[in-house]
């Protein structure tokens, strides 16, 4: 797609039988526009959406059986020359406009590592065993930047190829799952292209609220930890940057 604006954010949200990802995307964009009222956002989805919080709504040409594979269409569907892709189930807790200048050191930047709600770098590897066993880069697609470029096209062509031909690509790694998620596909593409070309030291990271990162007894941190919004705090600790709340039905 020919870009119609210089820069903006893209969110992929396809509802499932149990999760209203479009609602999550709307919450994300509202939090983003609280910090940056002029931010431009494109929702990529599978259905007509008229929510005015989205500046653009682009429809997926094909909806994959593997929901993660819908991500492969973002390069073709973004209306922006420079794009930051955000996962739907997140909130923006502080200004992020400085990202643009930082990311421009690369054609593609995938965030690496994550933080816990104490703002410490998480050392939890429970969810990254396949990454560690295969020495893959510790990337998180939740924050991904690219600009229209040969490198970005090569990267997203490769991710689409991995999703489409998983039976072949899975033979390249040990302990491969039956269906890959986006983080694993991005990690394999990054490894093939060279992590130094698609990651950036010191790039922004997400606060991850999965059980082991949050150090909770159950998967639902919202029922164990005290939280408040405006500003977003967990156990009185102020959150900043991108907060990946993970509990999809959370109503902040």
């Amino acid at each position: 797609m020919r870009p119609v604006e210089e820069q903006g954010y893209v969110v992929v949200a396809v509802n499932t039988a149990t999760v209203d990802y479009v609602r999550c995307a709307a919450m994300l964009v509202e939090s983003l526009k609280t910090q940056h009222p002029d931010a431009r956002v494109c929702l990529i989805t599978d259905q007509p959406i008229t929510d005015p919080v989205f500046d653009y709504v682009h429809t997926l040409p094909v909806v994959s059986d593997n929901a993660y594979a819908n991500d492969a269409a973002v390069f073709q569907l973004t209306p922006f020359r420079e794009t930051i892709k955000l996962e739907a189930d997140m909130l923006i807790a502080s200004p992020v406009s400085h990202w643009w200048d930082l990311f421009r050191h690369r054609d593609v930047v995938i965030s690496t590592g994550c933080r816990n709600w104490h703002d410490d770098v998480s050392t939890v590897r429970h969810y990254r065993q396949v990454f560690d066993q295969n020495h893959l880069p510790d990337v998180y697609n939740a924050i991904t930047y690219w600009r229209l470029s040969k490198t970005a096209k090569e990267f997203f062509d490769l991710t689409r190829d991995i999703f489409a031909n998983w039976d072949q690509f899975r033979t390249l790694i040990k302990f491969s799952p039956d269906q890959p998620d986006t983080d694993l596909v991005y990690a394999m593409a990054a490894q093939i292209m060279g992590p130094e070309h698609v990651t950036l030291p010191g790039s922004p990271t997400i606060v991850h609220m999965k059980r082991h990162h949050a150090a909770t007894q159950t998967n639902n941190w919202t029922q164990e930890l005290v939280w408040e919004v405006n500003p977003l705090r967990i156990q009185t600790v102020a959150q900043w940057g991108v907060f990946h709340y993970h509990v999809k039905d959370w109503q902040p």
Side-chain angles (χ1 to χ4, degrees):
M1 175 175 292
R2 184 183 297 274
V4 297
E5 294 198 41
E6 283 301 312
Q7 66 183 44
Y9 301 83
V10 160
V11 185
V12 180
V14 175
N15 290 342
T16 68
T18 57
V19 179
D20 188 346
Y21 281 104
V22 174
R23 181 191 71 86
C24 294
M27 286 173 43
L28 166 64
V29 176
E30 287 168 359
S31 70
L32 173 63
K33 292 194 174 188
T34 296
Q35 303 293 337
H36 305 292
D38 296 331
R40 305 291 282 173
V41 182
C42 176
L43 174 70
I44 297 177
T45 187
D46 63 335
Q47 56 187 300
I49 299 293
T50 57
D51 191 328
V53 75
F54 304 113
D55 301 291
Y56 300 91
V57 176
H58 289 173
T59 305
L60 289 161
V62 177
V63 179
S64 174
D65 291 337
N66 176 2
Y68 295 111
N70 292 318
D71 184 89
V74 293
F75 183 75
Q76 286 76 26
L77 293 180
T78 180
F80 309 114
R81 190 175 302 278
E82 288 183 281
T83 301
I84 293 175
K85 179 177 72 73
L86 300 170
E87 283 194 339
D89 56 334
M90 306 195 299
L91 294 179
I92 306 300
S94 63
V96 296
S97 59
H98 61 283
W99 287 359
W100 295 104
D101 289 335
L102 175 65
F103 286 149
R104 288 178 181 129
H105 291 281
R106 297 280 192 277
D107 289 335
V108 177
V109 179
I110 317 164
S111 65
T112 54
C114 66
R115 296 174 284 131
N116 59 34
W117 57 268
H118 295 283
D119 196 30
D120 297 322
V121 174
S122 179
T123 59
V124 170
R125 306 308 297 167
H126 176 82
Y127 307 104
R128 294 270 145 165
Q129 295 179 36
V130 172
F131 288 68
D132 294 342
Q133 291 159 346
N134 291 282
H135 307 289
L136 294 173
D138 192 28
V139 297
Y140 285 81
N141 86 96
I143 309 172
T144 302
Y145 162 87
W146 70 91
R147 59 172 169 254
L148 191 61
S149 61
K150 179 180 178 181
T151 303
K153 184 178 186 306
E154 180 182 353
F155 175 79
F156 285 104
D157 283 350
L158 185 52
T159 63
R160 186 171 59 251
D161 195 24
I162 295 171
F163 273 122
N165 299 286
W166 179 240
D167 286 344
Q168 299 172 34
F169 278 93
R170 69 181 301 183
T171 64
L172 301 177
I173 61 174
K174 299 179 289 185
F175 312 110
S176 61
D178 291 336
Q179 285 193 328
D181 63 18
T182 313
D183 284 342
L184 179 56
V185 169
Y186 275 34
M188 292 179 69
Q191 188 80 324
I192 291 168
M193 291 184 63
E196 69 277 11
H197 298 300
V198 296
T199 61
L200 182 67
S203 63
T205 56
I206 61 172
V207 172
H208 214 316
M209 293 302 290
K210 276 188 175 180
R211 175 183 175 183
H212 292 280
H213 293 299
T216 54
Q217 296 299 310
T218 69
N219 291 326
N220 193 340
W221 64 269
T222 70
Q223 296 180 359
E224 292 187 47
L225 304 178
V226 177
W227 54 268
E228 52 191 316
V229 294
N230 300 320
L232 179 59
R233 287 194 280 256
I234 306 297
Q235 302 285 89
T236 74
V237 177
Q239 304 300 299
W240 63 273
V242 178
F243 183 80
H244 196 333
Y245 53 85
H246 180 63
V247 178
K248 309 296 191 290
D249 58 357
W250 183 42
Q251 298 278 357

